[in-house]
């Protein structure tokens, strides 16, 4: 909520609205303190269009241009919490870097973050945004993430920020032993799916209903 006469997104107000966002995530059931700290550490207003900066700490998806959206903080927190449950993220791949926000959150939690994006101007924006917050360890690539990132595989964690009708086979093939993949699955209605590579094979668990933009083929 904006207070008259203040400028949300900047200085103390940004600090207060960020604290509120963390309280809301707790109320919504996020319990992993390290995930909450990671989200608190990333200034989301840097990643959204200037005209939307005052809304950066609302728990909502916001437009990024190119028909894409920056993910809702709750969904970012939830997916990362599920990936982390009982272990560290390890080597992590994000498919659909968009403006780089989620990659920045991941970078607070692990040393090795790779992120791919199929829309070149968005990837450029992610690069600028990450540089603006001095987050230099995320390795970004312009590529179709349905193919994963073979040159850096295998991954302990893979997180997909766009909905797929079916699980891309390459992503399963690039999971390390005990690795986890989380993605929104489904065409019309979507549900988060967690897939874990256990000694006995892949184990899939269905989680919350969600709404993501579609995972598309090729690059532009
Ligand atoms: N993680 C982003 C959310 C971006 S929205 C954030 O924190 O803001 C999803 C992104 O997935 C879009 O930028 C879209 O262009 C991208 N995307 C969709 N299909 C893709 C694919 N096959 N490979 C890579 N990126 C893809």
């Amino acid at each position: 909520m904006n207070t008259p006469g203040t400028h949300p997104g900047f200085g103390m107000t940004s600090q207060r609205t960020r604290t509120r966002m963390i309280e809301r995530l707790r109320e919504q059931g996020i319990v992993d303190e390290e995930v909450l700290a990671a989200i608190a550490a990333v200034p989301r207003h840097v990643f959204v269009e200037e005209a939307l900066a005052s809304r950066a700490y609302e728990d909502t998806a916001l437009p990024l241009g190119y028909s894409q959206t920056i993910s809702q903080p709750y969904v970012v927190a939830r997916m990362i919490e599920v990936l982390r449950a009982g272990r560290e993220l390890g080597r992590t791949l994000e498919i659909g870097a968009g403006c780089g926000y989620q990659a920045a959150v991941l970078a607070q939690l692990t040393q090795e973050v790779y992120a791919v994006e199929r829309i070149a101007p968005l990837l450029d924006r992610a690069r600028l945004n990450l540089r603006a917050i001095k987050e230099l360890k995320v390795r970004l690539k312009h590529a179709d993430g349905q193919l994963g990132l073979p040159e850096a595989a295998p991954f302990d964690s893979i997180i997909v920020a766009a909905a797929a009708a079916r699980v891309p086979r390459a992503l399963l093939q690039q999971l390390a032993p005990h690795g986890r993949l989380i993605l929104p699955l489904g065409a019309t209605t979507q549900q988060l799916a967690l897939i874990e590579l256990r000694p006995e094979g892949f184990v899939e668990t269905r989680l919350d209903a969600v709404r993501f933009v579609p995972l598309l083929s090729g690059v532009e």
Side-chain angles (χ1 to χ4, degrees):
M1 186 75 80
N2 302 348
T3 321
T6 59
H7 303 278
F10 302 99
M12 283 307 291
T13 310
S14 156
Q15 202 49 56
R16 266 202 306 278
T17 47
R18 252 196 261 182
T19 308
R20 273 286 301 130
M21 180 167 87
I22 301 305
E23 284 167 8
R24 258 193 330 262
L25 293 176
R26 262 188 233 284
E27 286 160 15
Q28 288 170 293
I30 302 299
V31 293
D32 185 331
E33 288 297 331
E34 289 188 47
V35 171
L36 291 167
I39 290 192
V42 176
R44 194 165 183 255
H45 66 270
V46 171
F47 293 82
V48 304
E49 304 275 341
E50 210 166 333
L52 294 168
S54 67
R55 302 189 54 200
Y57 299 97
E58 291 175 17
D59 191 29
T60 174
L62 292 170
L64 276 183
Y66 310 93
S67 307
Q68 305 303 322
T69 53
I70 177 170
S71 302
Q72 187 190 348
Y74 171 73
V75 178
V76 171
R78 172 79 175 133
M79 289 174 88
I80 299 176
E81 181 172 83
V82 168
L83 276 178
R84 266 175 52 87
R87 50 153 224 172
E88 295 295 325
L89 287 177
R91 180 182 290 206
T92 301
L93 172 64
E94 180 193 26
I95 310 294
C99 62
Y101 173 70
Q102 181 168 262
V105 176
L106 291 166
Q108 309 302 310
L109 293 161
T110 182
Q111 290 305 309
E112 278 189 280
V113 184
Y114 296 82
V116 302
E117 171 54 56
R118 62 181 290 281
I119 300 178
L122 276 181
L123 188 79
D124 292 342
R125 188 147 1 127
R127 193 164 273 130
L128 286 174
N129 289 340
L130 289 165
R131 206 172 292 160
I133 66 157
K134 302 194 165 53
E135 185 49 78
L136 305 174
K137 63 176 170 287
V138 177
R139 277 160 274 194
L140 293 162
K141 188 175 175 193
H142 182 219
D144 179 352
Q146 287 178 317
L147 309 174
L149 191 61
E151 64 266 40
F155 298 97
D156 303 300
S157 302
I158 302 179
I159 185 165
V160 186
R166 273 177 287 116
V167 183
R169 180 185 294 268
L171 301 186
L172 295 175
Q173 289 167 342
Q174 291 173 29
L175 274 183
H178 302 285
R180 291 181 189 164
L181 159 67
I182 191 162
L183 78 171
L185 267 187
T188 42
T189 62
Q190 304 165 8
Q191 207 179 4
L192 286 183
L194 170 70
I195 296 165
E196 204 174 337
L197 178 51
R198 301 223 186 116
E200 66 271 25
F202 293 108
V203 178
E204 182 176 327
T205 312
R206 292 298 181 111
L207 306 161
D208 327 25
V210 284
R211 261 183 73 187
F212 277 81
V213 297
L215 189 70
L216 301 174
S217 298
V219 293
E220 54 184 88

